[in-house]
Amino acid sequence: MNDPDAPDERETERETKRYQTRQSGAGAISIGSMSGGAVASGEHASAVHHAAPSAAPADQRYDDAVRELLEAVRILRTHLALLAPSDETAETDGALAEVEDEAERTGSVDEGRLRRLNARLQAGATAAAGLASAGAVAQAIAQLVGAG
């Protein structure tokens, strides 16, 4: 049976590490592995660690934005098919198909292509611009290339 007054294994390990740190010399630091944080040693030493809020790496955010764009493009293409066929809807669908194809093949889309598609969707005179799903595509484009 375990002795309830005996220190647990983790506590013993922490005490051993503290002892080893004290024994390694004044101000000496020995670190086996460290991820983040700050360390300082010696008289008047100061260490400050300012951790950034936890966020996905930039490349992960970009990948997520491309996935959101793809989803929005697919929805808009479905909605466009519900409109009366016209040169305008065919051209818009063609532009959406190009964006969809490039994003699927490469994981990214040419910024110029995105800006042209965005301009087409922002033009108030087009039938596609009247679809709510067009706003979702425009928003996804803005995440990738900026609002400007």
Side-chain angles (χ1 to χ4, degrees), residues 17 30-36 39:
K17 287 181 181 177
S30 174
I31 299 173
S33 176
M34 182 173 171
S35 177
V39 176

Side-chain angles (χ1 to χ4, degrees), residues 97-111 113:
E98 289 175 357
V99 167
E100 183 177 9
D101 179 61
E102 186 176 354
E104 287 175 339
R105 282 184 302 101
T106 67
S108 66
V109 182
D110 175 68
E111 186 174 328
R113 183 184 315 274

Side-chain angles (χ1 to χ4, degrees), residues 24-95:
S24 60
I29 297 174
S30 174
I31 299 173
S33 176
M34 182 173 171
S35 177
V39 176
S41 175
E43 192 173 335
H44 306 295
S46 175
V48 178
H49 174 70
H50 296 284
S54 178
D59 56 343
Q60 181 63 46
R61 289 191 305 267
Y62 183 83
D63 291 346
D64 291 345
V66 170
R67 277 192 288 281
E68 289 176 21
L69 174 65
L70 264 173
E71 182 179 334
V73 163
R74 289 174 180 146
I75 291 169
L76 178 54
R77 291 190 73 201
T78 301
H79 291 172
L80 271 178
L82 300 174
L83 298 176
S86 69
D87 289 344
E88 175 206 326
T89 58
E91 289 172 12
T92 302
D93 186 61

